Amino acid sequence: VSIVKERLSYPYTAHINTRVSTKNFTSPPKVNYLLKGMLVRVPSNYITRDEAADGVASYNRHVTSGAVEASYQNWDGAFRGSLVYTNNPAWIFYDIIINNRYGLGEWLDSSDIDKYALYRVARYCDELVPDGQEGLEPRFVGNYYLSKSTQAYKVLKDMATSFRAMLYWSEGAILPVMDQAQDPVYTFSKGNIIGGSFNYEGTSGQARPNQYVVAW
C-alpha cells in the first residue's frame, strides 16, 4: 500500500476525506451528507432561523450594534457585513441574481432588483403557519441544489415559484410579485363602470404557468 500526500487546492468546493475498513465493508459504502450550503447576504435587521435560539427567524436585530432586541427593528436598506447561512428562499434568490461567479452578477447588480419588494416577500416566507401536526413551521423554506447549467430565466422563474411569486421587469428593476391574501382595493360593479362593461387585460404567455407538479 502506498499513500502519497499532496497539497491540493479545491477552490469554491466543499470536500470530505473518508476512510473505511475493508474488513467491515466489501464495497465502498454509500454516504449521505446534510449540508447547510452557501452563505449569502441578509438584511441588517435579520436574525436567521439558524441563528435564533428557538429556530424562529425574526427581524429584531439592531442595524448598528447587531444586538438582538425584544421587538421589530426597522430596516435601513443595508445588508449585514458578513455572509450567513439562511434557507429563506427570498434571500437565496437575491444572492443568485447579484453573485458574479455562479449567478447573474456579471450582468445585473443590486440596483436591478427591488430589494424592498423582496424584503416583504422574505417576511411573508418567514411567517409561521400550521404544519398539520399541531405545530408551526415557516411558510416557505428553500434548499436548492443546482447540479447543471441552464437558462438563467428558467432558474429565476423556478426559484420564484418556490415562494409563489412571479417576476416582472418594471421601472428598470426586477419586481417579484407574490400570490398572497390582500385586502380589496376597490369594489367594482356595473353601477360604477362607464357603460356598464369591463375591459379585460392579461399577462404575456411567458409569465403564465403552463404546468403544475403536485406531490404528497
Side-chain angles (χ1 to χ4, degrees):
V1 176
S2 176
I3 299 177
V4 179
K5 295 184 178 181
E6 297 284 355
R7 290 183 176 271
L8 303 177
S9 176
Y10 301 90
Y12 308 118
T13 303
H15 60 95
I16 186 169
N17 183 14
T18 304
R19 180 178 296 180
V20 297
S21 173
T22 56
K23 294 181 180 180
N24 300 323
F25 298 93
T26 57
S27 61
K30 180 182 292 186
V31 182
N32 295 321
Y33 300 97
L34 181 62
L35 306 177
K36 284 188 176 181
M38 299 295 298
L39 305 181
V40 302
R41 297 180 185 180
V42 297
S44 55
N45 66 337
Y46 186 47
I47 300 172
T48 68
R49 302 178 189 121
D50 190 58
E51 295 174 318
D54 57 359
V56 178
S58 69
Y59 295 79
N60 298 353
R61 183 179 184 274
H62 195 281
V63 296
T64 304
S65 65
V68 180
E69 306 292 344
S71 59
Y72 172 80
Q73 301 294 301
N74 291 327
W75 187 35
D76 59 356
F79 290 85
R80 289 168 59 169
S82 58
L83 304 180
V84 298
Y85 165 76
T86 180
N87 58 3
N88 186 308
W91 301 124
I92 301 174
F93 177 82
Y94 180 78
D95 176 71
I96 203 168
I97 287 180
I98 65 173
N99 192 284
N100 59 7
R101 182 172 66 85
Y102 52 80
L104 293 174
E106 186 175 347
W107 300 275
L108 302 175
D109 57 34
S110 57
S111 63
D112 292 316
I113 181 170
D114 189 337
K115 62 182 179 181
Y116 295 103
L118 200 60
Y119 180 77
R120 293 190 293 271
V121 171
R123 293 195 63 188
Y124 186 72
C125 293
D126 280 328
E127 289 181 2
L128 298 180
V129 296
D131 62 359
Q133 301 178 357
E134 300 183 357
L136 297 175
E137 63 181 0
R139 177 176 278 109
F140 299 119
V141 297
N143 296 285
Y144 306 104
Y145 180 69
L146 305 180
S147 59
K148 62 181 180 180
S149 300
T150 187
Q151 292 182 354
Y153 179 76
K154 184 179 186 306
V155 174
L156 295 181
K157 185 178 68 171
D158 290 346
M159 293 181 71
T161 55
S162 68
F163 50 88
R164 211 165 61 211
M166 300 176 68
L167 302 179
Y168 294 93
W169 183 265
S170 176
E171 298 180 355
I174 299 174
L175 178 65
V177 179
M178 189 161 49
D179 181 15
Q180 66 181 106
Q182 296 181 350
D183 294 330
V185 178
Y186 193 80
T187 301
F188 295 94
S189 67
K190 291 185 177 181
N192 55 20
I193 298 297
I194 297 177
S197 61
F198 293 90
N199 292 327
Y200 296 92
E201 294 183 359
T203 59
S204 65
Q206 191 179 33
R208 300 176 196 162
N210 56 14
Q211 61 181 358
Y212 297 90
V213 178
V214 182
W216 285 269

